[in-house]
Amino acid sequence: MTQYIIRRLIYSIFIIWGCATIVFFMLRLVPGDPVSAMLGIEYTPEAAAQLRKNLGLDQPIYVQYVKWMGNVLHGDLGKSIDTRESVTGQILSAFPKTLSITVLGFIIGAVVALPMGILAGLRRDSVFDWIASTSTFVGISLPTFWFGIVFILIFAVEFRWLPSVGYVSPREGIWPWFSHLILPGLAAGVGEAAILMRFVRAGLLETMGSDYIRTARAKGLPSSKIIFTHAMRNSMIPVVTVAGLSIAGLLGGLVITETVFSISGIGRLLTVAIFAKDYPIVQGVILLITLFFVLANLVVDILYTFLDPRIRYG
Amino acid sequence: MAEKQSSKLAGAAVVGNLTAREQLERLQDQRTAQGSRFWRRIRAEKKAYLGLIFVVLLTFISIAGPVLAPYGADNVDFDQLAAPNLHHPMGTDSFGHDLLSRVILGTRVSFSVGIVGALLSLIVGVAGGVVAGYYGGWIDNLIMRIVDLIWAFPAIVLAMGLVSIYGAGVRNVIIAIAIANLVAYARIVRGDVLSLRESDFTVAARAIGVRDWRIMLRHLLPNVAAPIIVQMTLTVGFGILTETGLTFLGLGVNPATPTWGQALNESRNFIHQAWWLAVFPGLAIGFTVLSMNRLGDGLRDALDVRNVND
């Protein structure tokens, strides 16, 4: 098992290195002169030379690459062209906002999906099953940011129960902080719930039809014991994978949803930076998101070995 | 045993005695039988059938949009931000455009971007998957590691990265959708080809000297067609979601074009006055993607494709 984990770890490092390399070359792929694209109307030969020097673009490409990688390893992602602040600092101040919505969305998704998925899986073709599969289809067919807009329409504009936009730091009070997170969290949670529900149902359906469940029934175990100690354990394995992978989807969806709620998380940071052609920020945010995604995968794979002994010994 | 052998031989002889025309007719009969079985299965699968009807309907709307739309895309002679009424069933936007007309006209953009992007990713992904699975070794390793790398970027982030380099616009959105989605095709196809490579018909084809590209094209591809078709319908849905998301952010299709994403973007500014601006374009997106997903899911059951989730 240790060997498997070490192998996965090395592979993840390889993938992260590959992603970093791609992100490094991003700036070099910009057609024409990236420096004049970044400066826009502020372009003067002096400013261009200065910026080129700041970005290290005046050096040979292999020197640039080695330097950039070295800096990234030290957590230095360069300076923003717009604000001249450190990219790492800006990302660090934006990330907690995105992370709190991601976590809330994940919790909401799981809280809705588990009971619904279990009911649908146990009572196939019942009303629960119909509701679960219909909401799954609706949930995955509509963009997360649209749910955000609709929730604002219902809960903020119509009923005035919750604030519609913005983010408040938890230092200013738990409720103001949380109340601003509920709507974006709900929007993120809808898609999450839709995907998870589908897998909980499918996993349970498959397990409930297996021989060892029939054996458990035949020896007279109570249904609750069969479901919760025998069936759930096996049917949750695919759910864990999907849950891990869906974090990336959540994060990806949030990139857009943050714009709906005017929350200055990393998605908003990325969007604004793309408009401003602020490449160091674009590179930094993309690198962070892929890092997060690869790590989520790694955690899922390691969890897997604990959940499923077949992988451990196979 | 001997009897069986001889009857088999006799059967072969009969086939041998048929004229070329008769043999061809026989083959065609078999083909139509296969084709009608395909249609029978789809019709038996209600989900797929309903999805197919919706997709055909949407295709018609996207082609005939300019004729179907009650008003032109740039017709601004109406009250601004009028609530839905008899003349404007979906209301009007802040410029005084009829929203129903804009939603109908937006079908074409989203639909074609989704389909072209999905087709492009199908071609590249399937080609990569077949080559990787068929040759194996370092070629397989190289292709699949590239696929792994692409997979590490969430689709929308990949698309935003590409747009930040090459700029917004329909072409770049299509390229972004194609790259982000080719992973699924490559993985599905490679896995299937890997097992088909050792099958008798491939070995036989290789033994009589059929060239590699012909084996891949004529013998392997038809055998992996079913999961590809299913994946294609799902990719169109993803593609439409990516396009509307990017356009919503202002990073997609030119804002002057009537699109669903653009309409949703505008709705944010008038969320307190005009709910219809947000609701109807969103429902159009949902209906389209839902139809594609239903078709894909139904086809999966009809063609008996195992569930591929990554």
Side-chain angles (χ1 to χ4, degrees):
Chain A
M1 182 162 89
T2 336
Q3 214 184 358
Y4 172 81
I5 293 177
I6 291 173
R7 215 168 49 225
R8 284 292 306 147
L9 205 68
I10 293 173
Y11 190 63
S12 303
I13 292 172
F14 166 80
I15 290 287
I16 291 169
W17 167 73
C19 291
T21 305
I22 292 175
V23 168
F24 166 79
F25 279 106
M26 257 188 74
L27 190 55
R28 279 81 197 163
L29 287 171
V30 176
D33 180 15
V35 170
S36 60
M38 281 183 247
L39 287 172
I41 49 164
E42 290 167 37
Y43 183 89
T44 59
E46 294 77 38
Q50 185 62 39
L51 182 58
R52 205 165 274 131
K53 194 155 173 278
N54 284 348
L55 292 170
L57 288 171
D58 52 346
Q59 288 162 321
I61 191 132
Y62 59 90
V63 177
Q64 292 178 30
Y65 181 70
V66 173
K67 268 195 174 165
W68 192 79
M69 278 293 175
N71 287 339
V72 167
L73 283 178
H74 288 98
D76 176 9
L77 293 161
K79 280 194 168 67
S80 155
I81 292 163
D82 251 14
T83 60
R84 307 198 194 276
E85 282 170 43
S86 110
V87 173
T88 316
Q90 280 186 286
I91 288 179
L92 283 181
S93 72
F95 195 56
K97 304 171 191 171
T98 307
L99 195 66
S100 9
I101 306 173
T102 309
V103 171
L104 187 65
F106 188 79
I107 294 173
I108 292 176
V111 165
V112 176
L114 283 175
M116 279 306 289
I118 292 172
L119 273 176
L122 291 178
R123 307 241 163 93
R124 200 181 181 167
D125 298 323
S126 68
V127 185
F128 296 114
D129 195 12
W130 187 84
I131 294 173
S133 64
T134 307
S135 43
T136 292
F137 265 102
V138 172
I140 58 170
S141 301
L142 281 155
T144 307
F145 69 87
W146 186 73
F147 284 114
I149 299 176
V150 170
F151 290 155
I152 291 179
L153 270 176
I154 299 171
F155 297 109
V157 175
E158 190 60 36
F159 294 121
R160 296 172 193 280
W161 286 344
L162 289 163
S164 62
V165 292
Y167 176 86
V168 174
S169 160
R171 271 183 234 115
E172 292 171 40
I174 292 297
W175 173 246
W177 169 73
F178 190 67
S179 65
H180 280 83
L181 288 183
I182 294 176
L183 291 185
L186 264 180
V190 174
E192 176 72 15
I195 298 169
L196 279 184
M197 203 164 5
R198 194 177 176 154
F199 282 88
V200 173
R201 174 184 178 273
L204 203 60
L205 265 179
E206 198 183 318
T207 328
M208 289 308 278
S210 60
D211 288 342
Y212 77 94
I213 294 292
R214 206 177 43 204
T215 310
R217 268 196 216 290
K219 71 178 186 183
L221 282 183
S223 291
S224 61
K225 200 170 163 81
I226 294 175
I227 293 165
F228 289 104
T229 57
H230 292 240
M232 286 297 273
R233 223 184 261 190
N234 270 326
S235 55
M236 281 307 109
I237 295 172
V239 177
V240 170
T241 321
V242 178
L245 299 184
S246 67
I247 291 181
L250 263 178
L251 213 59
L254 273 184
V255 167
I256 305 175
T257 313
E258 281 176 2
T259 294
V260 174
F261 290 97
S262 304
I263 291 172
S264 48
I266 55 163
R268 192 78 200 121
L269 190 64
L270 178 63
T271 312
V272 172
I274 290 176
F275 278 114
K277 296 203 180 297
D278 197 340
Y279 288 106
I281 299 243
V282 176
Q283 287 176 305
V285 174
I286 292 183
L287 194 61
L288 175 86
I289 293 176
T290 51
L291 184 76
F292 197 80
F293 186 34
V294 173
L295 288 181
N297 267 313
L298 183 68
V299 171
V300 166
D301 275 345
I302 294 174
L303 257 176
Y304 232 85
T305 61
F306 288 103
L307 287 172
D308 192 346
R310 280 169 299 189
I311 296 171
R312 222 178 306 164
Y313 302 111
Chain B
M1 184 69 196
E3 210 175 314
K4 222 177 190 177
Q5 197 84 10
S6 68
S7 72
K8 226 182 190 174
L9 277 174
V14 170
V15 173
N17 283 338
L18 292 175
T19 61
R21 175 182 290 274
E22 279 170 330
Q23 283 191 35
L24 195 70
E25 276 169 2
R26 224 174 230 218
L27 253 168
Q28 276 169 350
D29 282 352
Q30 274 173 13
R31 286 253 167 94
T32 23
Q34 265 174 15
S36 66
R37 195 164 66 217
F38 175 79
W39 283 112
R40 229 185 9 251
R41 280 210 219 154
I42 288 182
R43 246 175 287 162
E45 202 63 51
K46 258 195 211 130
K47 272 190 289 192
Y49 203 47
L50 203 67
L52 189 68
I53 290 172
F54 285 152
V55 170
V56 170
L57 183 76
L58 284 162
T59 313
F60 174 73
I61 292 177
S62 63
I63 293 170
V67 183
L68 292 174
Y71 307 100
D74 302 315
N75 201 336
V76 287
D77 307 334
F78 313 115
D79 289 344
Q80 292 163 1
L81 292 179
N85 55 49
L86 278 176
H87 299 286
H88 305 291
M90 293 187 185
T92 63
D93 68 9
S94 64
F95 296 100
H97 296 126
D98 174 54
L99 193 60
L100 175 64
S101 306
R102 304 275 288 185
V103 167
I104 289 176
L105 293 167
T107 314
R108 181 180 286 188
V109 180
S110 290
F111 216 58
S112 51
V113 167
I115 287 176
V116 177
L119 264 179
L120 212 61
S121 71
L122 182 150
I123 293 168
V124 180
V126 169
V130 172
V131 169
Y134 185 72
Y135 287 111
W138 67 270
I139 298 179
D140 180 26
N141 243 315
L142 178 74
I143 293 177
M144 295 323 285
R145 292 303 81 79
I146 294 174
V147 167
D148 284 352
L149 269 181
I150 297 174
W151 193 61
F153 294 88
I156 190 78
V157 174
L158 187 85
M160 287 172 81
L162 282 169
V163 167
S164 81
I165 299 172
Y166 297 111
V170 174
R171 194 196 56 191
N172 294 340
V173 172
I174 289 175
I175 293 175
I177 292 170
I179 295 179
N181 287 301
L182 63 84
V183 175
Y185 293 105
R187 289 197 169 163
I188 296 166
V189 171
R190 174 189 173 266
D192 284 357
V193 167
L194 216 53
S195 59
L196 288 171
R197 183 173 68 169
E198 307 303 333
S199 62
D200 289 343
F201 68 88
T202 321
V203 175
R206 217 178 296 143
I208 59 167
V210 178
R211 259 167 278 162
D212 283 349
W213 63 266
R214 209 180 148 79
I215 293 179
M216 290 188 248
L217 222 59
R218 294 297 303 267
H219 299 271
L220 296 176
L221 261 189
N223 276 296
V224 293
I228 296 175
I229 294 170
V230 172
Q231 186 59 37
M232 166 86 191
T233 56
L234 299 176
T235 316
V236 176
F238 292 143
I240 292 172
L241 288 180
T242 310
E243 181 272 318
T244 48
L246 283 175
T247 309
F248 171 76
L249 290 177
L251 296 170
V253 179
N254 181 350
T257 322
T259 55
W260 300 333
Q262 186 271 332
L264 286 179
N265 186 0
E266 211 200 290
S267 79
R268 279 179 56 228
N269 302 325
F270 302 100
I271 199 154
H272 291 275
Q273 299 108 295
W275 55 267
W276 52 93
L277 281 182
V279 170
F280 294 117
L283 290 180
I285 298 172
F287 179 71
T288 310
V289 179
L290 190 78
S291 311
M292 285 314 279
N293 286 344
R294 285 256 115 169
L295 178 63
D297 219 52
L299 281 176
R300 194 196 319 254
D301 293 346
L303 302 173
D304 199 21
V305 177
R306 61 180 164 56
N307 215 339
V308 183
N309 302 311
D310 60 356

PDB file of all heavy atoms in Angstrom, chain B residues 29-52:
ATOM      1  N   ASP B  29     -29.252  -6.613 -46.881  1.00  0.00           N
ATOM      2  CA  ASP B  29     -30.342  -6.994 -45.974  1.00  0.00           C
ATOM      3  C   ASP B  29     -29.858  -7.009 -44.541  1.00  0.00           C
ATOM      4  O   ASP B  29     -30.511  -6.505 -43.631  1.00  0.00           O
ATOM      5  CB  ASP B  29     -30.869  -8.389 -46.342  1.00  0.00           C
ATOM      6  CG  ASP B  29     -31.783  -8.307 -47.550  1.00  0.00           C
ATOM      7  OD1 ASP B  29     -32.092  -7.159 -47.952  1.00  0.00           O
ATOM      8  OD2 ASP B  29     -32.160  -9.351 -48.089  1.00  0.00           O
ATOM      9  N   GLN B  30     -28.663  -7.577 -44.357  1.00  0.00           N
ATOM     10  CA  GLN B  30     -28.109  -7.630 -43.001  1.00  0.00           C
ATOM     11  C   GLN B  30     -27.901  -6.219 -42.442  1.00  0.00           C
ATOM     12  O   GLN B  30     -28.208  -5.943 -41.299  1.00  0.00           O
ATOM     13  CB  GLN B  30     -26.763  -8.346 -43.020  1.00  0.00           C
ATOM     14  CG  GLN B  30     -26.890  -9.850 -42.906  1.00  0.00           C
ATOM     15  CD  GLN B  30     -25.554 -10.533 -43.099  1.00  0.00           C
ATOM     16  OE1 GLN B  30     -24.516  -9.873 -43.086  1.00  0.00           O
ATOM     17  NE2 GLN B  30     -25.586 -11.839 -43.280  1.00  0.00           N
ATOM     18  N   ARG B  31     -27.386  -5.357 -43.313  1.00  0.00           N
ATOM     19  CA  ARG B  31     -27.129  -3.981 -42.877  1.00  0.00           C
ATOM     20  C   ARG B  31     -28.418  -3.296 -42.433  1.00  0.00           C
ATOM     21  O   ARG B  31     -28.469  -2.685 -41.374  1.00  0.00           O
ATOM     22  CB  ARG B  31     -26.516  -3.172 -44.027  1.00  0.00           C
ATOM     23  CG  ARG B  31     -25.083  -3.533 -44.294  1.00  0.00           C
ATOM     24  CD  ARG B  31     -24.150  -2.425 -43.820  1.00  0.00           C
ATOM     25  NE  ARG B  31     -22.777  -2.891 -43.784  1.00  0.00           N
ATOM     26  CZ  ARG B  31     -21.919  -2.720 -44.786  1.00  0.00           C
ATOM     27  NH1 ARG B  31     -22.278  -2.065 -45.869  1.00  0.00           N
ATOM     28  NH2 ARG B  31     -20.697  -3.179 -44.690  1.00  0.00           N
ATOM     29  N   THR B  32     -29.478  -3.410 -43.284  1.00  0.00           N
ATOM     30  CA  THR B  32     -30.731  -2.748 -42.922  1.00  0.00           C
ATOM     31  C   THR B  32     -31.287  -3.345 -41.644  1.00  0.00           C
ATOM     32  O   THR B  32     -31.856  -2.641 -40.816  1.00  0.00           O
ATOM     33  CB  THR B  32     -31.785  -2.837 -44.038  1.00  0.00           C
ATOM     34  OG1 THR B  32     -31.487  -3.938 -44.849  1.00  0.00           O
ATOM     35  CG2 THR B  32     -31.847  -1.569 -44.847  1.00  0.00           C
ATOM     36  N   ALA B  33     -31.086  -4.673 -41.498  1.00  0.00           N
ATOM     37  CA  ALA B  33     -31.577  -5.312 -40.270  1.00  0.00           C
ATOM     38  C   ALA B  33     -30.879  -4.687 -39.065  1.00  0.00           C
ATOM     39  O   ALA B  33     -31.505  -4.353 -38.063  1.00  0.00           O
ATOM     40  CB  ALA B  33     -31.313  -6.810 -40.317  1.00  0.00           C
ATOM     41  N   GLN B  34     -29.575  -4.486 -39.204  1.00  0.00           N
ATOM     42  CA  GLN B  34     -28.828  -3.852 -38.112  1.00  0.00           C
ATOM     43  C   GLN B  34     -29.323  -2.432 -37.864  1.00  0.00           C
ATOM     44  O   GLN B  34     -29.535  -2.018 -36.736  1.00  0.00           O
ATOM     45  CB  GLN B  34     -27.342  -3.803 -38.455  1.00  0.00           C
ATOM     46  CG  GLN B  34     -26.567  -4.957 -37.881  1.00  0.00           C
ATOM     47  CD  GLN B  34     -25.131  -4.954 -38.369  1.00  0.00           C
ATOM     48  OE1 GLN B  34     -24.663  -3.947 -38.908  1.00  0.00           O
ATOM     49  NE2 GLN B  34     -24.451  -6.063 -38.197  1.00  0.00           N
ATOM     50  N   GLY B  35     -29.509  -1.714 -38.969  1.00  0.00           N
ATOM     51  CA  GLY B  35     -29.954  -0.329 -38.859  1.00  0.00           C
ATOM     52  C   GLY B  35     -31.303  -0.236 -38.183  1.00  0.00           C
ATOM     53  O   GLY B  35     -31.505   0.569 -37.281  1.00  0.00           O
ATOM     54  N   SER B  36     -32.246  -1.103 -38.595  1.00  0.00           N
ATOM     55  CA  SER B  36     -33.584  -0.989 -38.012  1.00  0.00           C
ATOM     56  C   SER B  36     -33.573  -1.435 -36.560  1.00  0.00           C
ATOM     57  O   SER B  36     -34.357  -0.969 -35.751  1.00  0.00           O
ATOM     58  CB  SER B  36     -34.591  -1.790 -38.830  1.00  0.00           C
ATOM     59  OG  SER B  36     -34.291  -3.151 -38.737  1.00  0.00           O
ATOM     60  N   ARG B  37     -32.629  -2.342 -36.215  1.00  0.00           N
ATOM     61  CA  ARG B  37     -32.546  -2.735 -34.816  1.00  0.00           C
ATOM     62  C   ARG B  37     -32.122  -1.529 -33.971  1.00  0.00           C
ATOM     63  O   ARG B  37     -32.641  -1.287 -32.894  1.00  0.00           O
ATOM     64  CB  ARG B  37     -31.534  -3.863 -34.656  1.00  0.00           C
ATOM     65  CG  ARG B  37     -31.676  -4.550 -33.309  1.00  0.00           C
ATOM     66  CD  ARG B  37     -30.980  -5.875 -33.295  1.00  0.00           C
ATOM     67  NE  ARG B  37     -29.549  -5.704 -33.416  1.00  0.00           N
ATOM     68  CZ  ARG B  37     -28.755  -6.529 -34.105  1.00  0.00           C
ATOM     69  NH1 ARG B  37     -29.266  -7.554 -34.739  1.00  0.00           N
ATOM     70  NH2 ARG B  37     -27.462  -6.323 -34.163  1.00  0.00           N
ATOM     71  N   PHE B  38     -31.190  -0.775 -34.526  1.00  0.00           N
ATOM     72  CA  PHE B  38     -30.729   0.437 -33.855  1.00  0.00           C
ATOM     73  C   PHE B  38     -31.905   1.374 -33.594  1.00  0.00           C
ATOM     74  O   PHE B  38     -32.121   1.842 -32.481  1.00  0.00           O
ATOM     75  CB  PHE B  38     -29.683   1.111 -34.755  1.00  0.00           C
ATOM     76  CG  PHE B  38     -29.188   2.440 -34.257  1.00  0.00           C
ATOM     77  CD1 PHE B  38     -28.239   2.507 -33.261  1.00  0.00           C
ATOM     78  CD2 PHE B  38     -29.682   3.620 -34.801  1.00  0.00           C
ATOM     79  CE1 PHE B  38     -27.779   3.733 -32.809  1.00  0.00           C
ATOM     80  CE2 PHE B  38     -29.231   4.842 -34.359  1.00  0.00           C
ATOM     81  CZ  PHE B  38     -28.280   4.897 -33.365  1.00  0.00           C
ATOM     82  N   TRP B  39     -32.729   1.606 -34.632  1.00  0.00           N
ATOM     83  CA  TRP B  39     -33.869   2.510 -34.476  1.00  0.00           C
ATOM     84  C   TRP B  39     -34.908   1.944 -33.532  1.00  0.00           C
ATOM     85  O   TRP B  39     -35.521   2.675 -32.767  1.00  0.00           O
ATOM     86  CB  TRP B  39     -34.506   2.804 -35.833  1.00  0.00           C
ATOM     87  CG  TRP B  39     -33.680   3.787 -36.581  1.00  0.00           C
ATOM     88  CD1 TRP B  39     -32.957   3.557 -37.710  1.00  0.00           C
ATOM     89  CD2 TRP B  39     -33.450   5.157 -36.219  1.00  0.00           C
ATOM     90  NE1 TRP B  39     -32.281   4.693 -38.068  1.00  0.00           N
ATOM     91  CE2 TRP B  39     -32.576   5.688 -37.178  1.00  0.00           C
ATOM     92  CE3 TRP B  39     -33.892   5.970 -35.179  1.00  0.00           C
ATOM     93  CZ2 TRP B  39     -32.131   6.998 -37.145  1.00  0.00           C
ATOM     94  CZ3 TRP B  39     -33.455   7.271 -35.138  1.00  0.00           C
ATOM     95  CH2 TRP B  39     -32.589   7.781 -36.108  1.00  0.00           C
ATOM     96  N   ARG B  40     -35.110   0.605 -33.620  1.00  0.00           N
ATOM     97  CA  ARG B  40     -36.090  -0.005 -32.729  1.00  0.00           C
ATOM     98  C   ARG B  40     -35.681   0.207 -31.280  1.00  0.00           C
ATOM     99  O   ARG B  40     -36.492   0.560 -30.435  1.00  0.00           O
ATOM    100  CB  ARG B  40     -36.191  -1.493 -33.044  1.00  0.00           C
ATOM    101  CG  ARG B  40     -37.629  -1.907 -33.208  1.00  0.00           C
ATOM    102  CD  ARG B  40     -37.886  -3.386 -33.401  1.00  0.00           C
ATOM    103  NE  ARG B  40     -36.826  -4.297 -33.216  1.00  0.00           N
ATOM    104  CZ  ARG B  40     -36.237  -4.972 -34.224  1.00  0.00           C
ATOM    105  NH1 ARG B  40     -36.611  -4.758 -35.463  1.00  0.00           N
ATOM    106  NH2 ARG B  40     -35.293  -5.842 -33.973  1.00  0.00           N
ATOM    107  N   ARG B  41     -34.380   0.021 -31.020  1.00  0.00           N
ATOM    108  CA  ARG B  41     -33.910   0.171 -29.641  1.00  0.00           C
ATOM    109  C   ARG B  41     -34.081   1.609 -29.158  1.00  0.00           C
ATOM    110  O   ARG B  41     -34.450   1.843 -28.022  1.00  0.00           O
ATOM    111  CB  ARG B  41     -32.429  -0.204 -29.552  1.00  0.00           C
ATOM    112  CG  ARG B  41     -32.223  -1.684 -29.498  1.00  0.00           C
ATOM    113  CD  ARG B  41     -30.972  -1.960 -28.702  1.00  0.00           C
ATOM    114  NE  ARG B  41     -30.220  -3.043 -29.297  1.00  0.00           N
ATOM    115  CZ  ARG B  41     -28.913  -3.202 -29.161  1.00  0.00           C
ATOM    116  NH1 ARG B  41     -28.217  -2.313 -28.479  1.00  0.00           N
ATOM    117  NH2 ARG B  41     -28.290  -4.198 -29.693  1.00  0.00           N
ATOM    118  N   ILE B  42     -33.784   2.546 -30.040  1.00  0.00           N
ATOM    119  CA  ILE B  42     -33.922   3.939 -29.630  1.00  0.00           C
ATOM    120  C   ILE B  42     -35.370   4.275 -29.354  1.00  0.00           C
ATOM    121  O   ILE B  42     -35.705   4.961 -28.389  1.00  0.00           O
ATOM    122  CB  ILE B  42     -33.343   4.869 -30.710  1.00  0.00           C
ATOM    123  CG1 ILE B  42     -31.826   4.752 -30.698  1.00  0.00           C
ATOM    124  CG2 ILE B  42     -33.749   6.316 -30.470  1.00  0.00           C
ATOM    125  CD1 ILE B  42     -31.153   5.633 -31.676  1.00  0.00           C
ATOM    126  N   ARG B  43     -36.254   3.733 -30.204  1.00  0.00           N
ATOM    127  CA  ARG B  43     -37.668   4.047 -29.993  1.00  0.00           C
ATOM    128  C   ARG B  43     -38.195   3.379 -28.729  1.00  0.00           C
ATOM    129  O   ARG B  43     -39.045   3.913 -28.043  1.00  0.00           O
ATOM    130  CB  ARG B  43     -38.492   3.642 -31.216  1.00  0.00           C
ATOM    131  CG  ARG B  43     -39.061   4.887 -31.888  1.00  0.00           C
ATOM    132  CD  ARG B  43     -39.778   4.552 -33.141  1.00  0.00           C
ATOM    133  NE  ARG B  43     -38.827   4.201 -34.182  1.00  0.00           N
ATOM    134  CZ  ARG B  43     -39.147   3.535 -35.284  1.00  0.00           C
ATOM    135  NH1 ARG B  43     -40.381   3.104 -35.461  1.00  0.00           N
ATOM    136  NH2 ARG B  43     -38.246   3.290 -36.198  1.00  0.00           N
ATOM    137  N   ALA B  44     -37.644   2.206 -28.429  1.00  0.00           N
ATOM    138  CA  ALA B  44     -38.071   1.509 -27.214  1.00  0.00           C
ATOM    139  C   ALA B  44     -37.607   2.289 -25.985  1.00  0.00           C
ATOM    140  O   ALA B  44     -38.254   2.289 -24.946  1.00  0.00           O
ATOM    141  CB  ALA B  44     -37.487   0.098 -27.198  1.00  0.00           C
ATOM    142  N   GLU B  45     -36.495   2.968 -26.116  1.00  0.00           N
ATOM    143  CA  GLU B  45     -35.945   3.731 -25.000  1.00  0.00           C
ATOM    144  C   GLU B  45     -36.567   5.129 -25.018  1.00  0.00           C
ATOM    145  O   GLU B  45     -36.157   5.978 -25.788  1.00  0.00           O
ATOM    146  CB  GLU B  45     -34.417   3.804 -25.165  1.00  0.00           C
ATOM    147  CG  GLU B  45     -33.667   4.070 -23.899  1.00  0.00           C
ATOM    148  CD  GLU B  45     -33.843   2.973 -22.888  1.00  0.00           C
ATOM    149  OE1 GLU B  45     -33.641   1.792 -23.216  1.00  0.00           O
ATOM    150  OE2 GLU B  45     -34.205   3.317 -21.758  1.00  0.00           O
ATOM    151  N   LYS B  46     -37.577   5.328 -24.192  1.00  0.00           N
ATOM    152  CA  LYS B  46     -38.364   6.570 -24.263  1.00  0.00           C
ATOM    153  C   LYS B  46     -37.506   7.820 -24.102  1.00  0.00           C
ATOM    154  O   LYS B  46     -37.678   8.799 -24.805  1.00  0.00           O
ATOM    155  CB  LYS B  46     -39.426   6.557 -23.165  1.00  0.00           C
ATOM    156  CG  LYS B  46     -40.806   6.197 -23.691  1.00  0.00           C
ATOM    157  CD  LYS B  46     -41.864   6.553 -22.672  1.00  0.00           C
ATOM    158  CE  LYS B  46     -43.033   5.594 -22.782  1.00  0.00           C
ATOM    159  NZ  LYS B  46     -43.427   5.026 -21.495  1.00  0.00           N
ATOM    160  N   LYS B  47     -36.569   7.734 -23.149  1.00  0.00           N
ATOM    161  CA  LYS B  47     -35.692   8.882 -22.881  1.00  0.00           C
ATOM    162  C   LYS B  47     -34.991   9.331 -24.149  1.00  0.00           C
ATOM    163  O   LYS B  47     -34.978  10.504 -24.501  1.00  0.00           O
ATOM    164  CB  LYS B  47     -34.608   8.468 -21.878  1.00  0.00           C
ATOM    165  CG  LYS B  47     -34.966   8.633 -20.463  1.00  0.00           C
ATOM    166  CD  LYS B  47     -33.735   8.414 -19.595  1.00  0.00           C
ATOM    167  CE  LYS B  47     -33.329   6.955 -19.593  1.00  0.00           C
ATOM    168  NZ  LYS B  47     -32.332   6.615 -18.576  1.00  0.00           N
ATOM    169  N   ALA B  48     -34.397   8.333 -24.847  1.00  0.00           N
ATOM    170  CA  ALA B  48     -33.619   8.654 -26.034  1.00  0.00           C
ATOM    171  C   ALA B  48     -34.527   9.254 -27.101  1.00  0.00           C
ATOM    172  O   ALA B  48     -34.175  10.232 -27.755  1.00  0.00           O
ATOM    173  CB  ALA B  48     -32.943   7.398 -26.571  1.00  0.00           C
ATOM    174  N   TYR B  49     -35.721   8.667 -27.236  1.00  0.00           N
ATOM    175  CA  TYR B  49     -36.626   9.110 -28.278  1.00  0.00           C
ATOM    176  C   TYR B  49     -37.062  10.553 -28.042  1.00  0.00           C
ATOM    177  O   TYR B  49     -37.045  11.390 -28.937  1.00  0.00           O
ATOM    178  CB  TYR B  49     -37.840   8.179 -28.296  1.00  0.00           C
ATOM    179  CG  TYR B  49     -38.545   8.167 -29.618  1.00  0.00           C
ATOM    180  CD1 TYR B  49     -37.826   8.041 -30.803  1.00  0.00           C
ATOM    181  CD2 TYR B  49     -39.934   8.267 -29.687  1.00  0.00           C
ATOM    182  CE1 TYR B  49     -38.462   8.032 -32.017  1.00  0.00           C
ATOM    183  CE2 TYR B  49     -40.577   8.257 -30.905  1.00  0.00           C
ATOM    184  CZ  TYR B  49     -39.843   8.140 -32.070  1.00  0.00           C
ATOM    185  OH  TYR B  49     -40.473   8.125 -33.266  1.00  0.00           O
ATOM    186  N   LEU B  50     -37.434  10.824 -26.791  1.00  0.00           N
ATOM    187  CA  LEU B  50     -37.863  12.186 -26.438  1.00  0.00           C
ATOM    188  C   LEU B  50     -36.709  13.170 -26.643  1.00  0.00           C
ATOM    189  O   LEU B  50     -36.887  14.242 -27.231  1.00  0.00           O
ATOM    190  CB  LEU B  50     -38.304  12.192 -24.971  1.00  0.00           C
ATOM    191  CG  LEU B  50     -39.267  13.299 -24.573  1.00  0.00           C
ATOM    192  CD1 LEU B  50     -40.605  13.090 -25.271  1.00  0.00           C
ATOM    193  CD2 LEU B  50     -39.453  13.309 -23.066  1.00  0.00           C
ATOM    194  N   GLY B  51     -35.523  12.783 -26.183  1.00  0.00           N
ATOM    195  CA  GLY B  51     -34.349  13.634 -26.359  1.00  0.00           C
ATOM    196  C   GLY B  51     -34.101  13.912 -27.828  1.00  0.00           C
ATOM    197  O   GLY B  51     -33.850  15.042 -28.228  1.00  0.00           O
ATOM    198  N   LEU B  52     -34.245  12.858 -28.640  1.00  0.00           N
ATOM    199  CA  LEU B  52     -34.007  12.996 -30.079  1.00  0.00           C
ATOM    200  C   LEU B  52     -34.993  13.983 -30.696  1.00  0.00           C
ATOM    201  O   LEU B  52     -34.617  14.851 -31.490  1.00  0.00           O
ATOM    202  CB  LEU B  52     -34.128  11.627 -30.749  1.00  0.00           C
ATOM    203  CG  LEU B  52     -33.694  11.578 -32.206  1.00  0.00           C
ATOM    204  CD1 LEU B  52     -32.195  11.786 -32.320  1.00  0.00           C
ATOM    205  CD2 LEU B  52     -34.073  10.245 -32.838  1.00  0.00           C
TER     206      LEU B  52
END
